[in-house]
DNA sequence: TGTACATCAGTGAACGCGCGTTCACTGATGTAC
DNA sequence: TGTACATCAGTGAACGCGCGTTCACTGATGTAC
């Protein structure tokens, strides 16, 4: 603990977010307490109330930050691909990657009830999904697809990668290394792309 | 509260499980407390310790019960189908149905860390997955599949329905009625079946 | 059928604890003149 | 450049609370003889 820290912290808000993520990583969502977060940020337990209305407001901010990072990860991954489906698939794999690399963010993103009160977190989530829709739409510009609307196709694809991410996080998929899991994610996205008629590569049959 | 209840409860263990599920439904996982469960079962707060080692032991029992019910639901749904893929698809839709009808069980099933200590819950989870594998295997007996092993295909299919269930539970899928969601689940399972080459119906393309 | 006794399944008081939140406060910072 | 003052971002004590768990106990039940 740095004793020379001045009375005013500088960027306590961000420090609290970072500390929250660390805390959740170490102890899990259910052990998350405001007082411990404050302790870790080297600040009195009342200080967070300068920056967040209450505990759930802080968690909503963590979720919002998480969605922003996820959106960025997806975008970067997609941009590494050339063909539309390759771009979509990269995004899907990035989604799973994100869940495993930042499980603490991921679990908060989908556990806080964003629909009430915390509008900015909800907006961040919607922006993230919009990214996925764009990638699906690009695939369908090239191929006719299989009859589902773009939106429906996107939701099905999202469900697929979300399921892989969730099960992997809960240890329900028997992969010991991230590499193995990544390979599985590639298989799963390929499969769903084939099912949706979005995959521009030849089916393997 | 029935005041004529005798000193010995009769089946306090089951009553505690039921009360736990009710409590989680009403207040959510994070508000779950042993004392409130005991209160609802009409019993002193120390009584549960006659039946469960501690709080997490009770939750593990809830999870175990949940997996048993899910297995039963899947089996019954599958048996309503004739063709192998129809049976698999029914099971997948039943999985999503279960998550929405018993969200309290579902959330506990995948939140308790089953891998340590609570072996019987883990076994129940494995039995449930085995059911799915059997259904996938039956599809592959009739068709060659697309090159993935049965186990891998089953995991991909499981991820799909699990993702649908999770997103629906979190309110991330914009379906207002169970009927709409059910239709979506049917689409999603059809899609993944097509992708896996398990679907014995003609592709819609 | 009766009785002694072990065992089982509850009770209720007590423990120590940390939590979220509020409050009056104070030190630091920024700004108007 | 200096000063008065408003505002901001912290502090630390205090609040009321319910939690999980333990403990010595007691009432009910089952069984051996």
């Amino acid at each position: 603990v740095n004793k020379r820290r001045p009375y005013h912290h500088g960027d306590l808000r961000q420090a609290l977010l970072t500390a929250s993520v660390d805390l959740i990583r170490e102890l899990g969502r259910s052990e998350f307490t405001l007082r411990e977060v404050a302790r870790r940020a080297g600040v009195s337990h009342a200080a967070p109330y300068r920056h967040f209305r209450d505990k759930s407001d802080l968690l909503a901010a963590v979720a919002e930050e998480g969605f922003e990072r996820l959106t960025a990860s997806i975008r970067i991954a997609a941009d590494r691909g050339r063909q539309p489906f390759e771009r979509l698939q990269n995004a899907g794999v990035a989604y799973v990657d994100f869940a495993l690399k930042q499980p603490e963010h991921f679990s908060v993103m989908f556990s806080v009830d964003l629909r009430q009160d915390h509008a900015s977190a909800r907006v961040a989530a919607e922006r993230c999904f919009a990214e996925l829709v764009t990638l699906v739409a690009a695939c369908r510009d090239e191929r006719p697809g299989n009859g589902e609307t773009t939106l429906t196709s996107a939701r099905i694809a999202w469900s697929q990668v979300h399921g892989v991410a969730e099960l992997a996080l809960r240890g329900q998929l028997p992969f010991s290394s991230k590499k193995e899991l990544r390979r599985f994610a590639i298989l799963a996205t390929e499969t769903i792309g084939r099912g949706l008629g979005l995959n521009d590569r030849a089916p393997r049959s």
Side-chain angles (χ1 to χ4, degrees), chain A:
Chain A
V1 181
N2 182 0
K3 298 233 172 196
R4 279 173 297 163
R5 182 171 290 154
Y7 193 89
H8 281 202
H9 181 286
D11 192 3
L12 181 55
R13 191 190 140 91
Q14 187 56 49
L16 289 168
L17 287 178
T18 304
S20 297
V21 168
D22 289 348
L23 177 57
I24 293 168
R25 173 167 38 236
E26 286 170 41
L27 302 181
R29 255 289 270 130
S30 58
E31 306 297 313
F32 176 84
T33 67
L34 255 193
R35 291 175 96 109
E36 178 62 22
V37 167
R39 231 168 271 137
R40 284 170 180 237
V43 108
S44 81
H45 57 258
Y49 288 88
R50 291 285 139 207
H51 300 272
F52 300 99
R53 198 174 350 108
D54 55 21
K55 190 185 176 185
S56 88
D57 195 39
L58 204 182
L59 283 173
V62 171
E64 183 184 352
E65 187 186 61
F67 276 114
E68 280 161 6
R69 288 183 189 201
L70 176 55
T71 305
S73 296
I74 282 177
R75 204 171 284 164
I76 290 168
D79 283 349
R80 275 198 289 270
R82 281 174 300 275
Q83 307 308 318
F85 180 73
E86 189 187 0
R87 291 167 54 78
L88 174 61
Q89 187 176 27
N90 285 353
V93 174
Y95 189 101
V96 176
D97 267 355
F98 179 87
L100 269 99
K101 281 198 191 132
Q102 324 245 11
E104 52 284 348
H105 266 120
F106 195 78
S107 70
V108 174
M109 287 155 65
F110 291 97
S111 78
V112 176
D113 190 349
L114 305 168
R115 281 159 293 181
Q116 44 189 349
D117 303 341
H118 308 291
S120 63
R122 190 180 58 238
V123 169
E126 281 160 7
R127 254 200 300 269
C128 184
F129 179 63
E131 198 68 25
L132 178 58
V133 173
T134 304
L135 293 168
V136 170
C139 293
R140 307 185 92 242
D141 284 349
E142 297 225 335
R143 287 169 63 89
N146 71 347
E148 313 309 340
T149 65
T150 296
L151 213 53
T152 298
S153 295
R155 284 186 191 126
I156 291 175
W158 185 24
S159 301
Q160 171 73 67
V161 291
H162 189 78
V164 173
E166 281 282 352
L167 291 179
L169 273 183
R170 315 294 185 175
Q172 303 279 340
L173 294 176
F175 301 121
S176 48
S177 72
K178 293 208 173 178
K179 198 167 184 176
E180 280 181 292
L181 176 66
R182 209 184 143 82
R183 191 150 42 216
F184 178 74
I186 291 171
L187 274 184
T189 49
E190 223 156 73
T191 303
I192 201 69
R194 203 180 303 128
L196 288 167
L198 298 175
N199 192 333
D200 37 21
R201 293 176 219 164
R204 303 216 254 139
S205 77

